[in-house]
Amino acid sequence: MLLNHEQYQSSFDKAMACAVECEHCAEACTGQPDMVKCARMCLDTAESCRTLATFMVRGSYFIAPLAKACAEICDTCAQECEKHDMEHCQKCARSCREAAGMYRQIVDTAMAAS
C-alpha cells in the first residue's frame, strides 16, 4: 500500500533518532570484549532504522512489513541494552522501545487501511 511520505514525518524522526542512539551505543561499546554482542546488535538496529526511514521518504509499498521487522529488531536490541548499566545503553534501550512502538502503529494503520 503506497502512502504519502508526509504521513511518516514523526515516524521518520523517531527512526532516525533511534539510529543515532544505536550508533552512539555501538561506538561506546566498541573495544570492550564483554560488549561485543551489544555493539553488533546496535549497529544492525541502526541500519534497519535508517532503511525504514528511507522507505518512508519514498512512500514505499514495503513500509508495513519492514516496520514489523524493525519493531522486532528494536525490541531485541532494547532487551540487550537493558542488561547493561551504562547510560548510553539505557538511552539506546529507551529509544528502541519508542521506535518499536511507533513501528507497530505503522503496521496497525496499514492493516486497517487495506
Side-chain angles (χ1 to χ4, degrees):
M1 174 176 148
L2 184 61
L3 298 174
N4 190 319
H5 74 276
E6 284 88 2
Q7 293 175 284
Y8 293 107
Q9 186 61 52
S10 66
S11 301
F12 172 87
D13 294 342
K14 190 80 63 181
M16 292 308 294
C18 187
V20 167
E21 288 300 332
C22 287
E23 289 284 348
H24 174 72
C25 188
E27 180 62 28
C29 292
T30 298
Q32 299 179 43
D34 58 332
M35 299 301 288
V36 171
K37 181 178 180 183
C38 186
R40 287 183 177 168
M41 197 166 290
C42 286
L43 290 173
D44 289 345
T45 303
E47 188 65 31
S48 69
C49 288
R50 279 192 300 271
T51 300
L52 180 57
T54 300
F55 278 40
M56 289 178 201
V57 169
R58 289 187 212 148
S60 173
Y61 286 96
F62 302 107
I63 291 170
L66 185 56
K68 183 176 180 182
C70 284
E72 184 178 327
I73 291 167
C74 283
D75 283 339
T76 304
C77 186
Q79 288 171 357
E80 176 62 29
C81 285
E82 287 167 348
K83 294 176 185 177
H84 310 291
D85 290 331
M86 285 82 72
E87 180 59 26
H88 59 86
C89 286
Q90 294 302 309
K91 283 179 69 176
C92 184
R94 285 190 299 271
S95 187
C96 284
R97 294 284 183 205
E98 289 175 19
M102 179 66 71
Y103 299 158
R104 285 190 191 83
Q105 288 177 1
I106 290 170
V107 174
D108 291 346
T109 300
M111 296 297 283
S114 57

